[in-house]
Amino acid sequence: MSETLIATLIGAGVTLLATSITQAINVFMFKFKSNMEIKQIEHQLKKEKLDGVYKSLISVINLFPDMSPNDVLNCVEYGPHYSMESFDSVLELLDYQIEDYKKQLQIPNIDCEGKSNIEAQISNREYSKKKILEIRDIYFKAKDKYKDFCELDKVIFDLYAGQDVRNCLVEFEVVIHNVFISGHSVGDAEDPINNIIKMSRQKLINSMRYDIGII
């Protein structure tokens, strides 16, 4: 075989190989571009489906109180214990205690220190009643709104929300149950880092923002 023919065959082989590589690269780039476009379309569809749902959910979870009656009652000596959404029972027990302390004020010859202590006990309970009434009304309003959300938007949420968002919502539900049903404290009511309701709420909001690309 002549050198010219060999060179021609080698050149043809190189050309064919180069052409095959180019075609393979083009096919890969086309598939990559197609996958990227599909993902972008899917993400846009997900964002459109979830945008209103997430806004609705955020407005609902922001309604829940940041503390429970037991957090309020920390300042009450020998105060009642709250659990199982028993707001009215706690309020009634506080009324009984207030009436009892008012009777103690009628004791003849009560000294100034004793009178001052009794008045402080009454004041603490009056303040606690006011706060617990506020928490009760806000809590039941939030609970009703969350029920509405579950009836209207939960199907879309379950279909499109990311796993992390769904996990965070379950975590928030558990926290609310522990605080308002089981009677746990939120921790430090005024500290967002050590308040379990504030922490779980913010974690859920952050997960929703990340899920639809709002960083």
Side-chain angles (χ1 to χ4, degrees), residues 186-202:
V186 300
D188 187 339
E190 302 301 325
D191 185 354
I193 298 178
N194 294 306
N195 181 316
I196 58 174
I197 291 180
K198 290 181 179 179
M199 286 191 297
S200 61
R201 179 194 289 129
Q202 191 58 53

Side-chain angles (χ1 to χ4, degrees), residues 26-44:
N26 288 337
V27 170
F28 172 79
M29 292 302 296
F30 176 78
K31 289 182 177 180
F32 178 78
K33 184 178 179 181
S34 297
N35 288 336
M36 288 294 293
E37 290 175 346
I38 290 172
K39 288 181 179 179
Q40 288 176 353
I41 292 172
E42 289 176 344
H43 180 75
Q44 184 60 35

Side-chain angles (χ1 to χ4, degrees), residues 20-151:
S20 298
I21 292 173
T22 300
Q23 290 176 342
I25 292 173
N26 288 337
V27 170
F28 172 79
M29 292 302 296
F30 176 78
K31 289 182 177 180
F32 178 78
K33 184 178 179 181
S34 297
N35 288 336
M36 288 294 293
E37 290 175 346
I38 290 172
K39 288 181 179 179
Q40 288 176 353
I41 292 172
E42 289 176 344
H43 180 75
Q44 184 60 35
L45 176 62
K46 178 176 182 175
K47 185 174 181 180
E48 290 174 357
K49 292 289 186 181
L50 288 174
D51 187 62
V53 172
Y54 281 176
K55 286 179 180 177
S56 176
L57 180 56
I58 290 172
S59 68
V60 171
I61 64 175
N62 279 334
L63 291 176
F64 281 94
D66 293 334
M67 65 175 69
S68 81
N70 284 330
D71 296 299
V72 176
L73 292 167
N74 282 335
C75 67
V76 176
E77 186 178 0
Y78 304 116
H81 181 78
Y82 162 90
S83 65
M84 301 298 294
E85 299 180 337
S86 59
F87 294 93
D88 293 339
S89 296
V90 169
L91 292 168
E92 187 176 355
L93 287 171
L94 287 172
D95 279 333
Y96 287 145
Q97 291 183 340
I98 289 170
E99 289 303 313
D100 183 62
Y101 278 116
K102 286 182 177 179
K103 289 178 181 178
Q104 292 182 40
L105 285 176
Q106 305 304 316
I107 297 175
N109 302 321
I110 186 172
D111 59 44
C112 291
E113 183 178 352
K115 182 179 179 181
S116 177
N117 179 62
I118 291 171
E119 289 175 342
Q121 297 293 341
I122 293 173
S123 177
N124 287 341
R125 282 163 176 76
E126 293 287 3
Y127 170 80
S128 296
K129 279 184 57 183
K130 181 180 178 181
K131 292 296 294 183
I132 291 170
L133 280 168
E134 292 175 359
I135 292 171
R136 181 194 66 181
D137 294 345
I138 295 171
Y139 169 73
F140 283 120
K141 179 181 178 181
K143 187 179 176 182
D144 288 342
K145 291 293 183 181
Y146 185 66
K147 182 180 178 181
D148 292 341
F149 169 82
C150 290
E151 293 175 351

